[in-house]
Amino acid sequence: DLTYQWLKGGISVSNGGNISGANSATLTIVNLLAANAGDYSVIVSNPAGFETSSEATLIVNDPVILTPPSTFAGNPGDTATFT
């Protein structure tokens, strides 16, 4: 029977927020945040011992707004649409 423990920068990862699977074969991170960026590895163990994987680097690119929305001036009851 195999057990798993995911690490980020050598520190154990915990389930919570946007992270699940910290103790399973698959670590899932949804809605990536800049704070999730880093080096991930996993320790796989069984009664005979354990092995630690090499690290995989996760890079999170911050979104860039190239053109800000235009200013809109309207009257009560008007509809404003921003894209």
Side-chain angles (χ1 to χ4, degrees):
D1 211 20
L2 297 176
T3 61
Y4 303 87
Q5 177 59 61
W6 284 91
L7 310 171
K8 178 185 171 194
I11 299 170
S12 293
V13 172
S14 299
N15 292 321
N18 63 340
I19 298 175
S20 63
N23 303 110
S24 69
T26 303
L27 179 69
T28 301
I29 307 172
V30 297
N31 299 318
L32 287 175
L33 303 169
N36 298 127
D39 296 320
Y40 289 83
S41 59
V42 63
I43 299 171
V44 182
S45 60
N46 68 14
F50 68 93
E51 284 292 326
T52 303
S53 73
S54 57
E55 292 182 331
T57 300
L58 173 61
I59 299 169
V60 180
N61 297 317
D62 288 330
V64 176
I65 298 174
L66 299 176
T67 306
S70 300
T71 301
F72 175 83
N75 297 311
D78 287 350
T79 299
T81 302
F82 296 97
T83 59

